[in-house]
Amino acid sequence: IFAFGQYDFRRRDEMLTDPDWAFGIGLKYTFLSPNSRPAQISAARAQQDQAVAGLREAENQVALGVRKAWNELETARQQYVLLDSSIAQAQENLRLQELAFREGQATSLDVIDARLGLGGARVERAQAAYQYDIALAQLREISGQMDRFEEFRRRADEVIDHE
């Protein structure tokens, strides 16, 4: 419902057929509208449901990503720990080959092979440490704590210094 009014203060510029004033009351009612309110409400609810489902999917993806990153981190840690025994075995092999070489029971090629084996085991352990750092960085990134990466890396069970 609305009201309106009009009055012309400049009468000398108007024609004789123009009115000096006018007023009225109006009513606007939409009887048949292409934009029905129930359809708009149901569309808004559907959009809200879709947003909630998207939020749940995002939460599931984050949880899955965290679980995957944690598993990769644990795998790299276990691989690093298991490689300690390989290094110990390679060191013992080198010690035995050097003793055998001094006694004339082995060749210098056997000693070189033992040293290469020890070097290979150390390289594998360094690769496992690198994979651990990568997995830790991915876990920190997914969990939104990338700024704490260096703190966690320093708190690792063992920090490899360049030997």
Side-chain angles (χ1 to χ4, degrees), residues 52-68 142:
V52 168
L55 184 59
R56 273 194 308 258
E57 175 66 23
E59 288 172 352
N60 288 339
Q61 290 293 329
V62 167
L64 182 66
V66 167
R67 199 171 310 119
K68 180 179 179 263
I142 289 171

Side-chain angles (χ1 to χ4, degrees), residues 72-97:
E72 288 176 1
L73 181 71
E74 186 61 22
T75 300
R77 188 189 68 78
Q78 288 175 356
Q79 183 179 4
Y80 180 84
V81 170
L82 290 174
L83 286 170
D84 281 344
S85 64
S86 295
I87 289 177
Q89 181 183 6
Q91 286 172 336
E92 181 63 19
N93 184 33
L94 177 60
R95 187 183 73 79
L96 291 175
Q97 292 301 327

Side-chain angles (χ1 to χ4, degrees), residues 12 16-17 74 103 133:
R12 64 175 174 230
L16 290 175
T17 58
E74 186 61 22
E103 297 296 321
D133 283 350

